[in-house]
Amino acid sequence: AQSVAQPEDQVNVAEGNPLTVKCTYSVSGNPYLFWYVQYPNRGLQFLLKYITGDNLVKGSYGFEAEFNKSQTSFHLKKPSALVSDSALYFCAVRDIINDYKLSFGAGTTVTVRA
Amino acid sequence: DTAVSQTPKYLVTQMGNDKSIKCEQNLGHDTMYWYKQDSKKFLKIMFSYNNKELIINETVPNRFSPKSPDKAHLNLHINSLELGDSAVYFCASSQATSQYEQYFGPGTRLTVT
């Protein structure tokens, strides 16, 4: 079965510092990988995805992610974090058997301090 | 314009009652989903419809029944509510193929007392 793991429950960074949120995946075949963000009391918002092509994917709000096949990772990054980036971040992978099904990681809470 | 909307936003009810949550999307998408987010923020797919056809039906109690009257609407009816049903329920939609991202509604916080 396809799955993603987010090894960190929480990430704390100072504003202006680089932000990294880690995600590793387990998929048989080519993975479709996604990052979503959830602000308090809101629905999830799509940030970026990797389907094929360039390993470095750029997304919304200055976020990017690097697909690394050898390390089976898809880490989310932002060069300079903002206080407004404080939120819950989810990594997700498409299911191989049922194309429409996404399996989500447990989420990583990011806190950016001023 | 709201892309994916859900009503109600909050729902407080007693055990044993029956309730419905409605979802509408104006994005022209063919596929709609229901997710449950528990108190630990874990997100799990429940159902999905593609052009009014059920395509995902996870291990969910029979008390939960989705209905899609047309491809812009997906409702969730819950019978005989239990304490463990308390959660936030999210509706989402996407285009028909798996490479496309899903757009989520604002959620319905269900509290069963």
Side-chain angles (χ1 to χ4, degrees), chain A residues 32 36 38 42-44 46 49 51 90 94 98-102 104, chain B residues 31 33 35 37 41 43 55-56 58 90 96 98-99 101-102 104-105 109:
Chain A
Y32 286 5
Y36 288 83
Q38 185 179 22
R42 303 282 293 276
L44 278 71
F46 168 75
K49 64 185 176 185
I51 304 299
F90 290 98
R94 179 206 65 166
N98 187 325
D99 271 2
Y100 295 92
K101 183 179 169 185
L102 281 182
F104 284 84
Chain B
T31 309
Y33 311 79
Y35 287 88
Q37 187 174 46
K41 305 295 186 185
L43 202 63
I55 56 171
I56 298 175
E58 291 294 282
F90 287 102
S98 58
Q99 63 183 297
E101 58 273 19
Q102 296 179 14
F104 283 75
R109 183 175 295 276

PDB file of all heavy atoms in Angstrom, chain A residues 32 36 38 42-44 46 49 51 90 94 98-102 104, chain B residues 31 33 35 37 41 43 55-56 58 90 96 98-99 101-102 104-105 109:
ATOM      1  N   TYR A  32       2.820  10.075  -7.348  1.00  0.00           N
ATOM      2  CA  TYR A  32       2.280  11.426  -7.467  1.00  0.00           C
ATOM      3  C   TYR A  32       2.227  11.960  -6.036  1.00  0.00           C
ATOM      4  O   TYR A  32       1.533  11.388  -5.196  1.00  0.00           O
ATOM      5  CB  TYR A  32       0.866  11.426  -8.045  1.00  0.00           C
ATOM      6  CG  TYR A  32       0.738  11.143  -9.522  1.00  0.00           C
ATOM      7  CD1 TYR A  32       1.838  10.801 -10.308  1.00  0.00           C
ATOM      8  CD2 TYR A  32      -0.493  11.222 -10.150  1.00  0.00           C
ATOM      9  CE1 TYR A  32       1.709  10.540 -11.661  1.00  0.00           C
ATOM     10  CE2 TYR A  32      -0.637  10.966 -11.507  1.00  0.00           C
ATOM     11  CZ  TYR A  32       0.460  10.620 -12.257  1.00  0.00           C
ATOM     12  OH  TYR A  32       0.309  10.357 -13.590  1.00  0.00           O
ATOM     13  N   TYR A  36      -0.104  19.982   1.101  1.00  0.00           N
ATOM     14  CA  TYR A  36      -1.231  20.838   1.435  1.00  0.00           C
ATOM     15  C   TYR A  36      -0.927  21.545   2.747  1.00  0.00           C
ATOM     16  O   TYR A  36      -0.187  21.029   3.592  1.00  0.00           O
ATOM     17  CB  TYR A  36      -2.510  20.018   1.621  1.00  0.00           C
ATOM     18  CG  TYR A  36      -3.097  19.460   0.342  1.00  0.00           C
ATOM     19  CD1 TYR A  36      -2.611  18.269  -0.197  1.00  0.00           C
ATOM     20  CD2 TYR A  36      -4.124  20.119  -0.314  1.00  0.00           C
ATOM     21  CE1 TYR A  36      -3.135  17.759  -1.367  1.00  0.00           C
ATOM     22  CE2 TYR A  36      -4.662  19.606  -1.485  1.00  0.00           C
ATOM     23  CZ  TYR A  36      -4.159  18.431  -2.005  1.00  0.00           C
ATOM     24  OH  TYR A  36      -4.692  17.924  -3.166  1.00  0.00           O
ATOM     25  N   GLN A  38      -2.922  23.594   6.091  1.00  0.00           N
ATOM     26  CA  GLN A  38      -4.200  23.851   6.766  1.00  0.00           C
ATOM     27  C   GLN A  38      -3.981  24.904   7.839  1.00  0.00           C
ATOM     28  O   GLN A  38      -3.257  24.674   8.819  1.00  0.00           O
ATOM     29  CB  GLN A  38      -4.758  22.570   7.393  1.00  0.00           C
ATOM     30  CG  GLN A  38      -6.132  22.752   8.008  1.00  0.00           C
ATOM     31  CD  GLN A  38      -6.700  21.477   8.607  1.00  0.00           C
ATOM     32  OE1 GLN A  38      -5.982  20.537   8.941  1.00  0.00           O
ATOM     33  NE2 GLN A  38      -8.018  21.428   8.749  1.00  0.00           N
ATOM     34  N   ARG A  42      -9.664  26.034   9.145  1.00  0.00           N
ATOM     35  CA  ARG A  42      -9.870  26.164   7.702  1.00  0.00           C
ATOM     36  C   ARG A  42      -9.708  24.804   7.032  1.00  0.00           C
ATOM     37  O   ARG A  42      -9.198  23.842   7.620  1.00  0.00           O
ATOM     38  CB  ARG A  42      -8.825  27.126   7.111  1.00  0.00           C
ATOM     39  CG  ARG A  42      -8.812  28.518   7.730  1.00  0.00           C
ATOM     40  CD  ARG A  42      -9.931  29.373   7.209  1.00  0.00           C
ATOM     41  NE  ARG A  42      -9.787  29.692   5.801  1.00  0.00           N
ATOM     42  CZ  ARG A  42      -9.057  30.684   5.328  1.00  0.00           C
ATOM     43  NH1 ARG A  42      -8.385  31.465   6.147  1.00  0.00           N
ATOM     44  NH2 ARG A  42      -8.989  30.903   4.033  1.00  0.00           N
ATOM     45  N   GLY A  43     -10.131  24.738   5.778  1.00  0.00           N
ATOM     46  CA  GLY A  43      -9.892  23.539   4.986  1.00  0.00           C
ATOM     47  C   GLY A  43      -8.458  23.519   4.473  1.00  0.00           C
ATOM     48  O   GLY A  43      -7.729  24.486   4.614  1.00  0.00           O
ATOM     49  N   LEU A  44      -8.076  22.390   3.875  1.00  0.00           N
ATOM     50  CA  LEU A  44      -6.730  22.272   3.331  1.00  0.00           C
ATOM     51  C   LEU A  44      -6.606  23.077   2.043  1.00  0.00           C
ATOM     52  O   LEU A  44      -7.546  23.165   1.255  1.00  0.00           O
ATOM     53  CB  LEU A  44      -6.407  20.798   3.021  1.00  0.00           C
ATOM     54  CG  LEU A  44      -5.951  19.942   4.187  1.00  0.00           C
ATOM     55  CD1 LEU A  44      -7.085  19.664   5.159  1.00  0.00           C
ATOM     56  CD2 LEU A  44      -5.358  18.639   3.695  1.00  0.00           C
ATOM     57  N   PHE A  46      -4.063  23.537  -1.355  1.00  0.00           N
ATOM     58  CA  PHE A  46      -3.006  22.928  -2.152  1.00  0.00           C
ATOM     59  C   PHE A  46      -1.811  23.872  -2.261  1.00  0.00           C
ATOM     60  O   PHE A  46      -1.965  25.072  -2.502  1.00  0.00           O
ATOM     61  CB  PHE A  46      -3.563  22.628  -3.545  1.00  0.00           C
ATOM     62  CG  PHE A  46      -2.531  22.268  -4.561  1.00  0.00           C
ATOM     63  CD1 PHE A  46      -1.922  21.023  -4.543  1.00  0.00           C
ATOM     64  CD2 PHE A  46      -2.167  23.166  -5.551  1.00  0.00           C
ATOM     65  CE1 PHE A  46      -0.968  20.690  -5.489  1.00  0.00           C
ATOM     66  CE2 PHE A  46      -1.230  22.840  -6.509  1.00  0.00           C
ATOM     67  CZ  PHE A  46      -0.614  21.600  -6.476  1.00  0.00           C
ATOM     68  N   LYS A  49       2.760  20.094  -6.198  1.00  0.00           N
ATOM     69  CA  LYS A  49       2.715  18.661  -6.483  1.00  0.00           C
ATOM     70  C   LYS A  49       3.884  18.253  -7.359  1.00  0.00           C
ATOM     71  O   LYS A  49       4.435  19.068  -8.110  1.00  0.00           O
ATOM     72  CB  LYS A  49       1.405  18.295  -7.178  1.00  0.00           C
ATOM     73  CG  LYS A  49       1.238  18.946  -8.557  1.00  0.00           C
ATOM     74  CD  LYS A  49      -0.130  18.651  -9.152  1.00  0.00           C
ATOM     75  CE  LYS A  49      -0.313  19.395 -10.477  1.00  0.00           C
ATOM     76  NZ  LYS A  49      -1.678  19.229 -11.028  1.00  0.00           N
ATOM     77  N   ILE A  51       4.463  15.371 -10.232  1.00  0.00           N
ATOM     78  CA  ILE A  51       3.877  14.310 -11.057  1.00  0.00           C
ATOM     79  C   ILE A  51       4.978  13.645 -11.867  1.00  0.00           C
ATOM     80  O   ILE A  51       5.144  12.429 -11.873  1.00  0.00           O
ATOM     81  CB  ILE A  51       2.783  14.880 -11.989  1.00  0.00           C
ATOM     82  CG1 ILE A  51       1.706  15.608 -11.167  1.00  0.00           C
ATOM     83  CG2 ILE A  51       2.162  13.776 -12.838  1.00  0.00           C
ATOM     84  CD1 ILE A  51       0.973  14.748 -10.172  1.00  0.00           C
ATOM     85  N   PHE A  90       0.502  19.019   5.414  1.00  0.00           N
ATOM     86  CA  PHE A  90       0.283  17.608   5.101  1.00  0.00           C
ATOM     87  C   PHE A  90       0.967  17.247   3.786  1.00  0.00           C
ATOM     88  O   PHE A  90       0.814  17.941   2.787  1.00  0.00           O
ATOM     89  CB  PHE A  90      -1.207  17.307   4.935  1.00  0.00           C
ATOM     90  CG  PHE A  90      -2.008  17.352   6.197  1.00  0.00           C
ATOM     91  CD1 PHE A  90      -2.741  18.484   6.522  1.00  0.00           C
ATOM     92  CD2 PHE A  90      -2.053  16.266   7.058  1.00  0.00           C
ATOM     93  CE1 PHE A  90      -3.490  18.536   7.679  1.00  0.00           C
ATOM     94  CE2 PHE A  90      -2.803  16.301   8.222  1.00  0.00           C
ATOM     95  CZ  PHE A  90      -3.526  17.446   8.530  1.00  0.00           C
ATOM     96  N   ARG A  94      -0.655   9.724  -4.071  1.00  0.00           N
ATOM     97  CA  ARG A  94      -1.760   9.074  -4.772  1.00  0.00           C
ATOM     98  C   ARG A  94      -1.644   7.569  -4.643  1.00  0.00           C
ATOM     99  O   ARG A  94      -0.555   7.012  -4.743  1.00  0.00           O
ATOM    100  CB  ARG A  94      -1.736   9.467  -6.247  1.00  0.00           C
ATOM    101  CG  ARG A  94      -2.839   8.831  -7.079  1.00  0.00           C
ATOM    102  CD  ARG A  94      -2.416   8.719  -8.503  1.00  0.00           C
ATOM    103  NE  ARG A  94      -1.292   7.799  -8.674  1.00  0.00           N
ATOM    104  CZ  ARG A  94      -0.889   7.312  -9.839  1.00  0.00           C
ATOM    105  NH1 ARG A  94      -1.521   7.673 -10.939  1.00  0.00           N
ATOM    106  NH2 ARG A  94       0.145   6.498  -9.928  1.00  0.00           N
ATOM    107  N   ASN A  98      -6.203   2.727  -6.640  1.00  0.00           N
ATOM    108  CA  ASN A  98      -7.341   3.614  -6.868  1.00  0.00           C
ATOM    109  C   ASN A  98      -6.794   5.011  -7.087  1.00  0.00           C
ATOM    110  O   ASN A  98      -6.413   5.704  -6.156  1.00  0.00           O
ATOM    111  CB  ASN A  98      -8.294   3.581  -5.680  1.00  0.00           C
ATOM    112  CG  ASN A  98      -9.564   4.367  -5.958  1.00  0.00           C
ATOM    113  OD1 ASN A  98      -9.540   5.390  -6.646  1.00  0.00           O
ATOM    114  ND2 ASN A  98     -10.669   3.887  -5.435  1.00  0.00           N
ATOM    115  N   ASP A  99      -6.794   5.419  -8.349  1.00  0.00           N
ATOM    116  CA  ASP A  99      -6.157   6.678  -8.749  1.00  0.00           C
ATOM    117  C   ASP A  99      -6.622   7.897  -7.982  1.00  0.00           C
ATOM    118  O   ASP A  99      -5.879   8.848  -7.827  1.00  0.00           O
ATOM    119  CB  ASP A  99      -6.461   6.938 -10.233  1.00  0.00           C
ATOM    120  CG  ASP A  99      -5.425   6.310 -11.113  1.00  0.00           C
ATOM    121  OD1 ASP A  99      -4.520   5.664 -10.571  1.00  0.00           O
ATOM    122  OD2 ASP A  99      -5.525   6.466 -12.343  1.00  0.00           O
ATOM    123  N   TYR A 100      -7.868   7.881  -7.571  1.00  0.00           N
ATOM    124  CA  TYR A 100      -8.440   9.088  -6.986  1.00  0.00           C
ATOM    125  C   TYR A 100      -8.139   9.220  -5.504  1.00  0.00           C
ATOM    126  O   TYR A 100      -8.370  10.244  -4.904  1.00  0.00           O
ATOM    127  CB  TYR A 100      -9.963   9.089  -7.185  1.00  0.00           C
ATOM    128  CG  TYR A 100     -10.357   9.181  -8.633  1.00  0.00           C
ATOM    129  CD1 TYR A 100     -10.569   8.040  -9.395  1.00  0.00           C
ATOM    130  CD2 TYR A 100     -10.478  10.420  -9.251  1.00  0.00           C
ATOM    131  CE1 TYR A 100     -10.907   8.130 -10.730  1.00  0.00           C
ATOM    132  CE2 TYR A 100     -10.823  10.517 -10.587  1.00  0.00           C
ATOM    133  CZ  TYR A 100     -11.035   9.373 -11.322  1.00  0.00           C
ATOM    134  OH  TYR A 100     -11.370   9.465 -12.641  1.00  0.00           O
ATOM    135  N   LYS A 101      -7.615   8.163  -4.928  1.00  0.00           N
ATOM    136  CA  LYS A 101      -7.443   8.149  -3.483  1.00  0.00           C
ATOM    137  C   LYS A 101      -6.093   8.725  -3.093  1.00  0.00           C
ATOM    138  O   LYS A 101      -5.062   8.321  -3.627  1.00  0.00           O
ATOM    139  CB  LYS A 101      -7.559   6.706  -2.982  1.00  0.00           C
ATOM    140  CG  LYS A 101      -7.459   6.563  -1.483  1.00  0.00           C
ATOM    141  CD  LYS A 101      -7.613   5.112  -1.098  1.00  0.00           C
ATOM    142  CE  LYS A 101      -7.267   4.891   0.351  1.00  0.00           C
ATOM    143  NZ  LYS A 101      -7.300   3.472   0.706  1.00  0.00           N
ATOM    144  N   LEU A 102      -6.124   9.675  -2.171  1.00  0.00           N
ATOM    145  CA  LEU A 102      -4.901  10.232  -1.605  1.00  0.00           C
ATOM    146  C   LEU A 102      -4.722   9.700  -0.190  1.00  0.00           C
ATOM    147  O   LEU A 102      -5.676   9.686   0.584  1.00  0.00           O
ATOM    148  CB  LEU A 102      -4.979  11.750  -1.536  1.00  0.00           C
ATOM    149  CG  LEU A 102      -4.743  12.564  -2.799  1.00  0.00           C
ATOM    150  CD1 LEU A 102      -4.815  14.048  -2.471  1.00  0.00           C
ATOM    151  CD2 LEU A 102      -3.398  12.232  -3.420  1.00  0.00           C
ATOM    152  N   PHE A 104      -2.801  10.567   3.195  1.00  0.00           N
ATOM    153  CA  PHE A 104      -2.157  11.718   3.826  1.00  0.00           C
ATOM    154  C   PHE A 104      -1.241  11.273   4.953  1.00  0.00           C
ATOM    155  O   PHE A 104      -1.505  10.286   5.649  1.00  0.00           O
ATOM    156  CB  PHE A 104      -3.216  12.660   4.402  1.00  0.00           C
ATOM    157  CG  PHE A 104      -3.912  13.498   3.368  1.00  0.00           C
ATOM    158  CD1 PHE A 104      -4.997  12.997   2.662  1.00  0.00           C
ATOM    159  CD2 PHE A 104      -3.475  14.788   3.087  1.00  0.00           C
ATOM    160  CE1 PHE A 104      -5.636  13.760   1.700  1.00  0.00           C
ATOM    161  CE2 PHE A 104      -4.117  15.557   2.129  1.00  0.00           C
ATOM    162  CZ  PHE A 104      -5.191  15.046   1.435  1.00  0.00           C
TER     163      PHE A 104
ATOM    164  N   THR B  31     -15.163  15.095  -9.884  1.00  0.00           N
ATOM    165  CA  THR B  31     -14.964  14.183  -8.756  1.00  0.00           C
ATOM    166  C   THR B  31     -15.083  14.936  -7.441  1.00  0.00           C
ATOM    167  O   THR B  31     -14.537  16.028  -7.294  1.00  0.00           O
ATOM    168  CB  THR B  31     -13.571  13.524  -8.850  1.00  0.00           C
ATOM    169  OG1 THR B  31     -13.403  12.969 -10.152  1.00  0.00           O
ATOM    170  CG2 THR B  31     -13.442  12.405  -7.825  1.00  0.00           C
ATOM    171  N   TYR B  33     -15.295  14.357  -2.920  1.00  0.00           N
ATOM    172  CA  TYR B  33     -14.804  13.486  -1.848  1.00  0.00           C
ATOM    173  C   TYR B  33     -15.380  13.936  -0.496  1.00  0.00           C
ATOM    174  O   TYR B  33     -15.661  15.123  -0.297  1.00  0.00           O
ATOM    175  CB  TYR B  33     -13.278  13.595  -1.730  1.00  0.00           C
ATOM    176  CG  TYR B  33     -12.506  13.457  -3.016  1.00  0.00           C
ATOM    177  CD1 TYR B  33     -12.401  14.525  -3.905  1.00  0.00           C
ATOM    178  CD2 TYR B  33     -11.853  12.268  -3.343  1.00  0.00           C
ATOM    179  CE1 TYR B  33     -11.673  14.421  -5.082  1.00  0.00           C
ATOM    180  CE2 TYR B  33     -11.122  12.158  -4.518  1.00  0.00           C
ATOM    181  CZ  TYR B  33     -11.034  13.231  -5.376  1.00  0.00           C
ATOM    182  OH  TYR B  33     -10.313  13.122  -6.535  1.00  0.00           O
ATOM    183  N   TYR B  35     -13.966  13.587   3.512  1.00  0.00           N
ATOM    184  CA  TYR B  35     -12.895  13.207   4.423  1.00  0.00           C
ATOM    185  C   TYR B  35     -13.362  13.428   5.854  1.00  0.00           C
ATOM    186  O   TYR B  35     -14.176  14.313   6.125  1.00  0.00           O
ATOM    187  CB  TYR B  35     -11.653  14.081   4.216  1.00  0.00           C
ATOM    188  CG  TYR B  35     -10.871  13.796   2.962  1.00  0.00           C
ATOM    189  CD1 TYR B  35     -11.183  14.428   1.765  1.00  0.00           C
ATOM    190  CD2 TYR B  35      -9.798  12.912   2.988  1.00  0.00           C
ATOM    191  CE1 TYR B  35     -10.437  14.181   0.614  1.00  0.00           C
ATOM    192  CE2 TYR B  35      -9.053  12.657   1.847  1.00  0.00           C
ATOM    193  CZ  TYR B  35      -9.378  13.304   0.667  1.00  0.00           C
ATOM    194  OH  TYR B  35      -8.642  13.051  -0.458  1.00  0.00           O
ATOM    195  N   GLN B  37     -11.627  14.304   9.599  1.00  0.00           N
ATOM    196  CA  GLN B  37     -10.426  14.684  10.333  1.00  0.00           C
ATOM    197  C   GLN B  37     -10.713  14.552  11.818  1.00  0.00           C
ATOM    198  O   GLN B  37     -11.595  15.235  12.351  1.00  0.00           O
ATOM    199  CB  GLN B  37      -9.983  16.110  10.001  1.00  0.00           C
ATOM    200  CG  GLN B  37      -8.636  16.469  10.620  1.00  0.00           C
ATOM    201  CD  GLN B  37      -8.113  17.823  10.177  1.00  0.00           C
ATOM    202  OE1 GLN B  37      -8.843  18.807  10.169  1.00  0.00           O
ATOM    203  NE2 GLN B  37      -6.837  17.886   9.816  1.00  0.00           N
ATOM    204  N   LYS B  41      -6.103  15.467  14.216  1.00  0.00           N
ATOM    205  CA  LYS B  41      -5.877  16.087  12.903  1.00  0.00           C
ATOM    206  C   LYS B  41      -5.562  15.064  11.821  1.00  0.00           C
ATOM    207  O   LYS B  41      -5.175  15.464  10.708  1.00  0.00           O
ATOM    208  CB  LYS B  41      -4.767  17.143  12.944  1.00  0.00           C
ATOM    209  CG  LYS B  41      -4.994  18.214  13.981  1.00  0.00           C
ATOM    210  CD  LYS B  41      -6.213  19.036  13.662  1.00  0.00           C
ATOM    211  CE  LYS B  41      -6.355  20.204  14.621  1.00  0.00           C
ATOM    212  NZ  LYS B  41      -7.597  20.959  14.395  1.00  0.00           N
ATOM    213  N   LEU B  43      -6.255  12.777   8.793  1.00  0.00           N
ATOM    214  CA  LEU B  43      -7.222  12.961   7.712  1.00  0.00           C
ATOM    215  C   LEU B  43      -7.423  11.639   6.984  1.00  0.00           C
ATOM    216  O   LEU B  43      -6.450  11.026   6.529  1.00  0.00           O
ATOM    217  CB  LEU B  43      -6.676  14.000   6.743  1.00  0.00           C
ATOM    218  CG  LEU B  43      -7.626  14.738   5.837  1.00  0.00           C
ATOM    219  CD1 LEU B  43      -8.610  15.567   6.637  1.00  0.00           C
ATOM    220  CD2 LEU B  43      -6.834  15.649   4.917  1.00  0.00           C
ATOM    221  N   ILE B  55     -16.856   5.806  -6.403  1.00  0.00           N
ATOM    222  CA  ILE B  55     -15.585   5.196  -6.799  1.00  0.00           C
ATOM    223  C   ILE B  55     -14.679   4.885  -5.621  1.00  0.00           C
ATOM    224  O   ILE B  55     -13.735   4.114  -5.756  1.00  0.00           O
ATOM    225  CB  ILE B  55     -14.817   6.082  -7.812  1.00  0.00           C
ATOM    226  CG1 ILE B  55     -14.580   7.486  -7.255  1.00  0.00           C
ATOM    227  CG2 ILE B  55     -15.560   6.148  -9.125  1.00  0.00           C
ATOM    228  CD1 ILE B  55     -13.650   8.319  -8.116  1.00  0.00           C
ATOM    229  N   ILE B  56     -14.910   5.507  -4.507  1.00  0.00           N
ATOM    230  CA  ILE B  56     -14.180   5.167  -3.286  1.00  0.00           C
ATOM    231  C   ILE B  56     -15.194   4.982  -2.174  1.00  0.00           C
ATOM    232  O   ILE B  56     -16.041   5.831  -1.946  1.00  0.00           O
ATOM    233  CB  ILE B  56     -13.172   6.265  -2.869  1.00  0.00           C
ATOM    234  CG1 ILE B  56     -12.099   6.469  -3.925  1.00  0.00           C
ATOM    235  CG2 ILE B  56     -12.531   5.904  -1.528  1.00  0.00           C
ATOM    236  CD1 ILE B  56     -11.149   7.627  -3.609  1.00  0.00           C
ATOM    237  N   GLU B  58     -14.504   3.666   1.522  1.00  0.00           N
ATOM    238  CA  GLU B  58     -13.605   3.103   2.516  1.00  0.00           C
ATOM    239  C   GLU B  58     -14.402   2.388   3.608  1.00  0.00           C
ATOM    240  O   GLU B  58     -15.629   2.391   3.610  1.00  0.00           O
ATOM    241  CB  GLU B  58     -12.741   4.205   3.128  1.00  0.00           C
ATOM    242  CG  GLU B  58     -11.736   4.775   2.152  1.00  0.00           C
ATOM    243  CD  GLU B  58     -10.687   3.758   1.735  1.00  0.00           C
ATOM    244  OE1 GLU B  58      -9.757   3.504   2.528  1.00  0.00           O
ATOM    245  OE2 GLU B  58     -10.793   3.222   0.615  1.00  0.00           O
ATOM    246  N   PHE B  90     -14.661  17.138   5.914  1.00  0.00           N
ATOM    247  CA  PHE B  90     -14.301  17.996   4.796  1.00  0.00           C
ATOM    248  C   PHE B  90     -14.800  17.398   3.490  1.00  0.00           C
ATOM    249  O   PHE B  90     -14.624  16.206   3.232  1.00  0.00           O
ATOM    250  CB  PHE B  90     -12.785  18.167   4.697  1.00  0.00           C
ATOM    251  CG  PHE B  90     -12.194  19.037   5.757  1.00  0.00           C
ATOM    252  CD1 PHE B  90     -11.534  18.480   6.838  1.00  0.00           C
ATOM    253  CD2 PHE B  90     -12.291  20.418   5.667  1.00  0.00           C
ATOM    254  CE1 PHE B  90     -10.978  19.280   7.829  1.00  0.00           C
ATOM    255  CE2 PHE B  90     -11.737  21.231   6.658  1.00  0.00           C
ATOM    256  CZ  PHE B  90     -11.091  20.662   7.736  1.00  0.00           C
ATOM    257  N   ALA B  96     -10.988  15.115 -13.139  1.00  0.00           N
ATOM    258  CA  ALA B  96     -11.222  13.669 -13.189  1.00  0.00           C
ATOM    259  C   ALA B  96      -9.973  12.819 -13.102  1.00  0.00           C
ATOM    260  O   ALA B  96     -10.055  11.667 -12.714  1.00  0.00           O
ATOM    261  CB  ALA B  96     -11.987  13.315 -14.457  1.00  0.00           C
ATOM    262  N   SER B  98      -6.050  11.676 -11.810  1.00  0.00           N
ATOM    263  CA  SER B  98      -5.404  11.638 -10.503  1.00  0.00           C
ATOM    264  C   SER B  98      -4.263  12.628 -10.353  1.00  0.00           C
ATOM    265  O   SER B  98      -3.816  12.882  -9.246  1.00  0.00           O
ATOM    266  CB  SER B  98      -4.894  10.230 -10.238  1.00  0.00           C
ATOM    267  OG  SER B  98      -4.001   9.856 -11.278  1.00  0.00           O
ATOM    268  N   GLN B  99      -3.774  13.195 -11.455  1.00  0.00           N
ATOM    269  CA  GLN B  99      -2.648  14.119 -11.319  1.00  0.00           C
ATOM    270  C   GLN B  99      -3.091  15.488 -10.819  1.00  0.00           C
ATOM    271  O   GLN B  99      -2.271  16.332 -10.501  1.00  0.00           O
ATOM    272  CB  GLN B  99      -1.935  14.266 -12.656  1.00  0.00           C
ATOM    273  CG  GLN B  99      -2.784  14.878 -13.749  1.00  0.00           C
ATOM    274  CD  GLN B  99      -2.026  14.924 -15.063  1.00  0.00           C
ATOM    275  OE1 GLN B  99      -1.011  15.587 -15.170  1.00  0.00           O
ATOM    276  NE2 GLN B  99      -2.528  14.199 -16.047  1.00  0.00           N
ATOM    277  N   GLU B 101      -4.844  18.288  -8.298  1.00  0.00           N
ATOM    278  CA  GLU B 101      -4.991  18.495  -6.877  1.00  0.00           C
ATOM    279  C   GLU B 101      -6.462  18.582  -6.488  1.00  0.00           C
ATOM    280  O   GLU B 101      -7.327  18.834  -7.325  1.00  0.00           O
ATOM    281  CB  GLU B 101      -4.261  19.792  -6.454  1.00  0.00           C
ATOM    282  CG  GLU B 101      -4.738  21.030  -7.168  1.00  0.00           C
ATOM    283  CD  GLU B 101      -4.026  21.267  -8.498  1.00  0.00           C
ATOM    284  OE1 GLU B 101      -3.427  20.309  -9.060  1.00  0.00           O
ATOM    285  OE2 GLU B 101      -4.096  22.400  -8.987  1.00  0.00           O
ATOM    286  N   GLN B 102      -6.699  18.390  -5.210  1.00  0.00           N
ATOM    287  CA  GLN B 102      -8.048  18.483  -4.679  1.00  0.00           C
ATOM    288  C   GLN B 102      -8.241  19.838  -4.007  1.00  0.00           C
ATOM    289  O   GLN B 102      -7.323  20.387  -3.397  1.00  0.00           O
ATOM    290  CB  GLN B 102      -8.291  17.354  -3.671  1.00  0.00           C
ATOM    291  CG  GLN B 102      -8.230  15.977  -4.328  1.00  0.00           C
ATOM    292  CD  GLN B 102      -8.439  14.835  -3.363  1.00  0.00           C
ATOM    293  OE1 GLN B 102      -8.886  15.025  -2.238  1.00  0.00           O
ATOM    294  NE2 GLN B 102      -8.132  13.628  -3.816  1.00  0.00           N
ATOM    295  N   PHE B 104     -10.466  21.816  -1.191  1.00  0.00           N
ATOM    296  CA  PHE B 104     -11.217  21.470   0.004  1.00  0.00           C
ATOM    297  C   PHE B 104     -12.191  22.563   0.404  1.00  0.00           C
ATOM    298  O   PHE B 104     -11.920  23.765   0.247  1.00  0.00           O
ATOM    299  CB  PHE B 104     -10.263  21.207   1.171  1.00  0.00           C
ATOM    300  CG  PHE B 104      -9.584  19.872   1.102  1.00  0.00           C
ATOM    301  CD1 PHE B 104      -8.544  19.650   0.205  1.00  0.00           C
ATOM    302  CD2 PHE B 104      -9.985  18.824   1.914  1.00  0.00           C
ATOM    303  CE1 PHE B 104      -7.916  18.415   0.119  1.00  0.00           C
ATOM    304  CE2 PHE B 104      -9.363  17.582   1.836  1.00  0.00           C
ATOM    305  CZ  PHE B 104      -8.336  17.382   0.945  1.00  0.00           C
ATOM    306  N   GLY B 105     -13.309  22.123   0.972  1.00  0.00           N
ATOM    307  CA  GLY B 105     -14.242  23.047   1.586  1.00  0.00           C
ATOM    308  C   GLY B 105     -13.752  23.459   2.968  1.00  0.00           C
ATOM    309  O   GLY B 105     -12.731  22.962   3.446  1.00  0.00           O
ATOM    310  N   ARG B 109     -17.780  21.060  11.492  1.00  0.00           N
ATOM    311  CA  ARG B 109     -17.401  20.499  12.794  1.00  0.00           C
ATOM    312  C   ARG B 109     -18.631  19.884  13.425  1.00  0.00           C
ATOM    313  O   ARG B 109     -19.571  20.584  13.798  1.00  0.00           O
ATOM    314  CB  ARG B 109     -16.799  21.574  13.704  1.00  0.00           C
ATOM    315  CG  ARG B 109     -16.330  21.027  15.054  1.00  0.00           C
ATOM    316  CD  ARG B 109     -15.632  22.088  15.873  1.00  0.00           C
ATOM    317  NE  ARG B 109     -14.400  22.535  15.252  1.00  0.00           N
ATOM    318  CZ  ARG B 109     -13.221  21.932  15.374  1.00  0.00           C
ATOM    319  NH1 ARG B 109     -13.125  20.840  16.130  1.00  0.00           N
ATOM    320  NH2 ARG B 109     -12.157  22.419  14.789  1.00  0.00           N
TER     321      ARG B 109
END
